């Protein structure tokens, strides 16, 4: 188990552990971006589901994604929809280098730019629960 | 099927169908083609694929504790793509743990016209009057979203309108009564402020089962009573065509109001579209600009 940044004051809704998402959520707790992959066509996909969205086969496994990509789109939320929301906050859609698009939280100090390189990180928000986040790569890697 | 607008239509008749289910079969393209053929300008969509048990319908997402959250995946998309043709209503569940956030999001979605509550048991009906749904009603009132409600006991609606004086309540399907006393209570509810009536599924109350001799004559007479008590500006023509149990076509349901010689042009315009536009905050426009609220 790796040490993740911890947000002890997390009051926003926590992810629901749907069966299809459990490997992904447990991967975040282990510091890994785990993604479903079709063993027939070899493609990773998101969101997770019982069958591959390309060829509809159920022969799936999970792989650890490098967690790199670019900002495909983003939005800044100004209205607090959920209890505990601290606005404004930014939600981005990441185009992973491996193909899938992932909607996730933004960790950068400034607003994102379309096409900006990003890298995955993880934040523990409660016992046994961690979230996947994305932001600019650390300076020594950029 | 009569597919052409009636030559006796009032000029520029703007027809809004206040509820049609978007299904996997009656999809966006088929809806648009049918509406064009019938001369229907806009439709309020309630997305409904299939009933998976007595309580929940798809599409919905399961939530912890057995709750579920109805979704409007294709209806919302259809409304975004065709803002002058569609808005959608969203069914909400009082057991949703994020109910307040759900209603806040609906309130900021320009495509969402209203929320909808289904009261499918006697316990839910009494709970509605006694406050079990007040979180939904309060949230909708705060967001200025009307609430379409199926199956409330019309005799107890006054308690709800007293608690939520700024809320528009729309009674689905002629108040969902099946017997004469229930219908009389629905008519009495016209005395309450901000209560509206969808004229739909009238055959469930006034059809051959209840009135075997002259169901259409009775239906016509009761329709006129409803117009007199509620006023045309509080009635909404609604086909709910995919759930229509009589043999009437979508065109015939429209013709029932459009070709009623006893109604003035102004009354027809209100019942067939004007009231829906007012209640659901959907002004008629010739541009594609979207309203933000």
């Amino acid at each position: 188990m790796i040490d993740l940044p911890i947000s002890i004051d997390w009051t926003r809704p926590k992810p629901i552990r749907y069966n299809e998402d459990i490997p992904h959520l447990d991967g975040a707790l282990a510091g890994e971006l785990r993604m479903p992959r079709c063993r027939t066509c070899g493609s990773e996909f998101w969101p997770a589901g019982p069958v591959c969205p390309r060829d509809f086969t159920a022969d799936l496994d999970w792989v650890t994604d490098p967690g790199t990509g670019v900002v495909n789109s983003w939005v800044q939320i100004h209205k607090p929809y959920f209890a505990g929301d601290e606005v404004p906050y930014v939600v981005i859609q990441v185009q992973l280098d491996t193909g899938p698009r992932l909607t996730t939280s933004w960790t950068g100090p400034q607003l994102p730019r379309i096409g900006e390189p990003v890298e995955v990180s993880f934040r523990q928000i409660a016992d046994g629960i961690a979230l996947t986040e994305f932001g600019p790569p650390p300076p020594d890697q950029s | 099927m009569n597919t052409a607008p009636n030559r006796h239509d009032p000029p520029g008749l703007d027809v809004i169908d206040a509820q049609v289910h978007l299904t996997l079969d009656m999809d966006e393209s088929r809806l648009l083609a049918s509406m064009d053929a019938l001369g229907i300008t806009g439709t309020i969509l309630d997305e409904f694929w299939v009933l998976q048990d007595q309580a929940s319908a798809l599409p919905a997402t399961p939530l912890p504790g057995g709750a579920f959250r109805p979704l409007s995946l294709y209806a919302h998309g259809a409304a975004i793509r065709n803002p002058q043709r569609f808005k959608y209503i969203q069914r909400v569940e009082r057991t949703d743990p994020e109910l307040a956030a759900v209603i806040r999001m609906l309130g900021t979605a320009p495509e969402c016209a209203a929320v909808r509550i289904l009261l499918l048991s006697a316990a839910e009906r009494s709970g509605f009057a006694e406050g079990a749904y007040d979180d939904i009603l309060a949230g909708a009132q705060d967001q200025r979203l009307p609430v379409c409600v199926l199956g409330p006991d019309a005799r107890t609606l006054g308690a709800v309108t007293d608690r939520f004086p700024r809320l528009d309540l729309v009674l689905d399907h002629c108040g969902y009564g099946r017997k004469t006393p229930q219908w009389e209570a629905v008519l009495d509810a016209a005395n309450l402020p901000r209560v509206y009536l969808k004229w739909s599924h009238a055959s469930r109350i006034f059809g051959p089962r209840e009135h075997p001799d002259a169901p259409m004559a009775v239906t016509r007479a009761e329709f006129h009573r409803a117009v007199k008590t509620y006023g045309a500006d509080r009635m909404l023509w609604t086909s709910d065509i995919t759930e229509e149990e009589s043999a009437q076509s979508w065109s015939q349901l429209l013709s029932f109001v459009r070709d009623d010689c006893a109604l003035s042009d102004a009354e027809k315009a209100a019942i067939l579209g004007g009231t829906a536009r007012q209640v659901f905050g959907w002004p008629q426009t010739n541009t594609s600009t979207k309203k933000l609220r």
Side-chain angles (χ1 to χ4, degrees), chain B residues 102-133:
Chain B
V102 167
I103 293 178
R104 277 197 289 272
M105 283 189 273
L106 294 173
T108 53
E111 300 80 16
C112 182
V115 298
R116 189 174 186 221
I117 300 170
L118 307 185
L119 307 174
L120 300 176
S121 69
E124 294 300 308
R125 281 190 283 278
S126 59
F128 181 74
E130 293 161 5
Y133 284 81

Side-chain angles (χ1 to χ4, degrees), chain B residues 12 17 41 47 81 85 106 131 140 184 187 199 204 208 214:
Chain B
D17 193 330
T41 314
E47 188 158 350
R81 282 185 290 272
R85 308 304 301 276
L106 294 173
E184 295 299 329
L187 292 178
W199 183 262
R204 292 176 180 172

Side-chain angles (χ1 to χ4, degrees), chain A residues 11-18 79-85, chain B residues 61-64 69 98 100-102 104-108 143:
Chain A
T11 57
R12 303 177 70 195
K14 299 180 178 65
I16 298 171
R17 289 175 68 84
Y18 293 112
K79 183 161 183 170
Y81 292 107
F82 294 90
D85 275 354
Chain B
T61 191
L63 300 170
R69 179 178 302 150
E98 297 295 346
V102 167
R104 277 197 289 272
M105 283 189 273
L106 294 173
T108 53
Q143 296 296 323

Side-chain angles (χ1 to χ4, degrees), chain B residues 139-166:
Chain B
Q141 180 175 260
D142 288 346
Q143 296 296 323
R144 300 180 184 177
L145 284 169
V147 173
C148 299
V149 55
L150 177 78
D153 183 344
R155 296 169 301 180
T156 62
L157 274 180
V160 176
T161 58
D162 284 348
R163 292 201 297 276
F164 300 98
R166 294 182 288 110

